[in-house]
Amino acid sequence: MTIKKFQGRTREEATERAKAELGEDAVIMNVKEIVPKGVFRSFKKSIFEVTAAVEEKESRVDSGIAFKNMQNMQKVHETINMAADEPIQIPPVSAEPEDQSKAEQSAIEFLKRNAGLLQKEDAVERERIEEKLENLQTILEKQLAAGKKKEPEEKELVKPDSRKNENLSFIKVLYETLIQNEVNEKYVNQVMDELEKVNWNGNSVDYILSNVYQKMILKFGQPHGIDLVGKKPKIIFFVGPTGVGKTTTLAKIASRLKVEQGKKVAFLTADTYRIAAAEQLRTYANILDTPLAIIYSPEELNQGIEQLENYDVILVDTAGFSHKNQNQKEDIKQLIQSVDTRYDSEVYLVLSATTKYKDLMEIADVYKEISHYKIIFTKLDETTTYGNILNIKLYSEAEVSYITNGQNVPDDLEVFNSQKMVKRLLGGS
């Protein structure tokens, strides 16, 4: 017999995963709800774990014996005690400073007693978040300049219960704001777990907000635009699904490089699938007075590069394709890998901010098989939630380099600003 455990957000999801792996004949032995731990557990959701078993199949099975075995299995299943599937052991409690354990117990009791009160104060805190975010940079600068905590006499002026109440309400609002912005619950819980490690109970709301703000900025990392230091020409590939705006994004970056930085820019296009794709890029090439060549094979790519060796950068437009199309995936992979080792190259995966997170994960996985890449997010003007930018950054571990928020060339393009994005995710403008 094979026995395995499966988890899901609901009982049904966990059961479906068990059936998908073990088959429809799998017997659900036990269902257990796993409740989140920690002081902020009331803001998190439980997950469910099912224990499933399936009889190992032999090469030959007599139908009569199989029927009897099924009856016996059913009888056994009916007599199983579902209360617990394993011995319960309570680990010894480690010694802690008395004041710390009292503070933690007090916080837990407060959550139980004042759940209704916290809900009433949520609306007030929501109104305060945006104002606090707008002034957050000033707050951080003052804290850094001061270089020390407030004096004890100042702290005593604030009643402990009042501050605790305010902080817990504020943390709950932050949690719900991130969820509403479609940040994946897994990453929101990571933020809450990190916040739980700091002394949130004894500090001000401004301290909590600045702590979350700084940690989220660190999650995004330090973005960079295209760096043309090194060998010439540098080869930049733009890849991604159909309809995300690769060609327009390429034109925006080309315009910035040529007009603002004075670089010599050239175009190559390998998009021979889409009707009039080359003509769209030719229009931009004529406006920028930039050479354009169409390539039909990996061999022609290096020939095109050799003819443009006196240019600083060559931007290569590629065909968009469904991440489920294996043939086109291999074509793009061969094209990128065929670049002569004499040249430096980079790959930018262009994604739409309006795409569902599940689809973005599949796309990120497919293109990771093609090449290491950096990310450009487009169509930020077509959505009101930005959580997927953080989600896919953490999921893929790839740098987010640029964002676009419209069709205007080159205006609606900017190097990704992590501070501005975190303010949006936390409810600011």
Side-chain angles (χ1 to χ4, degrees), residues 214-231:
Q214 292 173 25
K215 289 184 182 301
M216 290 184 66
I217 288 175
L218 289 175
K219 289 182 183 297
F220 275 118
Q222 182 61 42
H224 303 87
I226 293 175
D227 185 1
L228 298 183
V229 176
K231 300 177 184 178

Side-chain angles (χ1 to χ4, degrees), residues 364-402:
D365 289 341
V366 167
Y367 281 92
K368 188 172 288 186
E369 296 175 13
I370 294 175
S371 173
H372 173 78
Y373 54 75
K374 297 180 181 179
I375 296 175
I376 299 174
F377 266 103
T378 63
K379 303 186 180 182
L380 267 72
D381 57 314
E382 297 181 18
T383 185
T384 57
T385 58
Y386 308 99
N388 275 342
I389 297 178
L390 178 61
N391 293 339
I392 210 65
K393 156 63 184 167
L394 297 178
Y395 177 79
S396 68
E397 299 181 345
E399 176 186 308
V400 180
S401 296
Y402 293 94

Side-chain angles (χ1 to χ4, degrees), residues 9 44 159 178-179 243 273 315 363 368:
R9 292 186 178 182
K44 305 174 185 178
K159 294 182 179 180
L178 291 172
I179 292 292
Y273 293 90
L315 306 181
I363 293 167
K368 188 172 288 186

Side-chain angles (χ1 to χ4, degrees), residues 111-163:
L111 278 170
K112 293 178 180 177
R113 294 196 310 267
N114 298 286
L117 181 61
L118 291 178
Q119 290 178 355
K120 292 180 182 179
E121 296 187 354
D122 282 353
V124 177
E125 287 297 343
R126 289 181 192 282
E127 294 177 1
R128 298 174 59 187
I129 279 185
E130 185 164 342
E131 179 181 354
K132 287 181 176 296
L133 284 166
E134 291 300 323
N135 299 319
L136 187 55
Q137 196 65 40
T138 303
I139 293 170
L140 294 174
E141 289 173 357
K142 287 181 179 179
Q143 289 178 345
L144 291 173
K148 60 180 179 178
K149 295 182 179 179
K150 296 179 180 179
E151 295 296 326
E153 290 77 13
E154 282 189 272
K155 288 186 176 182
E156 291 173 0
L157 296 175
V158 182
K159 294 182 179 180
D161 286 346
S162 174
R163 169 162 288 174

Side-chain angles (χ1 to χ4, degrees), residues 319-336:
F321 67 91
S322 166
H323 54 281
K324 299 178 181 180
N325 190 318
Q326 188 65 27
N327 291 333
Q328 285 185 286
K329 168 189 164 183
E330 289 301 319
D331 289 344
I332 298 295
K333 186 175 182 178
Q334 290 178 17
L335 182 71
I336 293 173

Side-chain angles (χ1 to χ4, degrees), residues 252 256 403-414:
K252 291 175 182 178
R256 290 285 180 89
I403 60 171
T404 74
N405 50 18
Q407 296 294 315
N408 294 326
V409 178
D411 297 333
D412 296 333
L413 169 83
E414 60 182 87

